[in-house]
Amino acid sequence: MLKDMTMKLKSAGYVPNTVQVVFDVDEEEKETVVSYHSEKLALAFGLINSRSKETIRITKNLRICGDCHLAFKLLSEIYRREIMVRDAIRFHLFRKGNCSCMDFW
């Protein structure tokens, strides 16, 4: 499912934001690191184990990164699902390619 999500994101024009990756590795490896963030893994699990049209709820004890925020906006539109993420600061409700925080996070 994670590979499927990545393929659909890239076909929608998504480019991974690797600015926040602090490892000293090449750009391709940074993209791999970003693709395995816990919230993306949780979303893949939610897509596999929930019914279509059901809201997927994810809780994090850290802030959501900019790359995951952008990816979730696109994935909510691609999969036509509502995705609710509770991070350390606020709730984010991703619906139809938008976030309830209006990109202020």
Side-chain angles (χ1 to χ4, degrees), residues 60-91:
K60 267 186 72 78
N61 61 344
L62 302 171
R63 299 279 312 267
I64 188 170
C65 75
D67 179 70
C68 290
H69 194 269
L70 174 62
F72 277 32
K73 288 191 330 185
L74 292 170
L75 289 167
S76 70
E77 189 168 18
I78 291 168
Y79 287 103
R80 295 186 178 109
R81 302 285 290 267
E82 286 188 357
I83 305 164
M84 183 181 294
V85 179
R86 171 66 174 135
D87 71 9
I89 304 296
R90 64 177 44 90
F91 281 96

Side-chain angles (χ1 to χ4, degrees), residues 28-62:
E28 187 175 314
E29 185 65 27
K30 286 182 180 183
E31 289 180 12
T32 302
V33 169
V34 169
S35 70
Y36 288 106
H37 278 181
S38 62
E39 53 266 53
K40 288 182 184 171
L41 296 173
L43 178 60
F45 182 81
L47 288 168
I48 291 169
N49 292 303
S50 64
R51 298 182 193 132
S52 65
K53 308 291 184 199
E54 194 173 35
T55 300
I56 297 173
R57 293 173 177 83
I58 299 169
T59 304
K60 267 186 72 78
N61 61 344
L62 302 171

Side-chain angles (χ1 to χ4, degrees), residues 91-104:
F91 281 96
H92 300 267
L93 179 60
F94 299 95
R95 182 185 312 150
K96 298 179 183 175
N98 296 306
C99 180
S100 61
C101 76
M102 306 221 291
D103 296 334
F104 180 76

